[in-house]
């Protein structure tokens, strides 16, 4: 589980770095978070979601396409 104090601390670091326009401090805060257990879990969940969406899109692209409304809605279908 994520420790709220760690998240708050990281957020405060980011806000202070942005407030002082300190790019190095901002980069250090993001790097530290990315290397933390919470950051790694967040990155992994994003990667997992990306893989899920990618698989869903590939499945849709490979599925046979039927025209909207089915074959009987063709304007050329006669009586």
């Amino acid at each position: 589980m994520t420790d709220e104090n760690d998240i708050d601390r990281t957020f405060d670091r980011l806000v202070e770095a942005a407030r002082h326009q300190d790019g190095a401090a901002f980069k250090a805060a993001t790097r530290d978070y990315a290397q933390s257990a919470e950051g790694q879990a967040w990155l992994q969940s994003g990667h997992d979601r990306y893989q899920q969406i990618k698989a869903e899109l590939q499945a849709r692209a490979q599925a046979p396409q039927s025209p909207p409304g089915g074959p009987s809605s063709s304007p050329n279908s006669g009586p």
Side-chain angles (χ1 to χ4, degrees):
M1 177 164 256
T2 304
D3 184 4
E4 289 293 324
N5 290 330
D6 289 342
I7 292 172
D8 290 343
R9 212 173 1 261
T10 298
F11 183 77
D12 290 343
R13 287 176 65 192
L14 292 171
V15 169
E16 283 302 308
R19 198 174 276 151
H20 294 101
Q21 297 181 353
D22 186 346
F26 197 92
K27 186 175 181 178
T30 58
R31 182 193 60 236
D32 292 348
Y33 180 74
Q35 292 175 350
S36 71
E38 293 84 8
Q40 288 296 306
W42 178 76
L43 289 170
Q44 185 62 49
S45 70
H47 178 73
D48 292 347
R49 180 67 178 133
Y50 166 76
Q51 292 299 326
Q52 179 185 11
I53 291 170
K54 184 177 168 184
E56 289 171 4
L57 291 174
Q58 287 174 342
R60 284 186 202 165
Q62 294 173 357
Q65 300 294 317
S66 62
S72 64
S73 67
S74 172
N76 295 332
S77 62

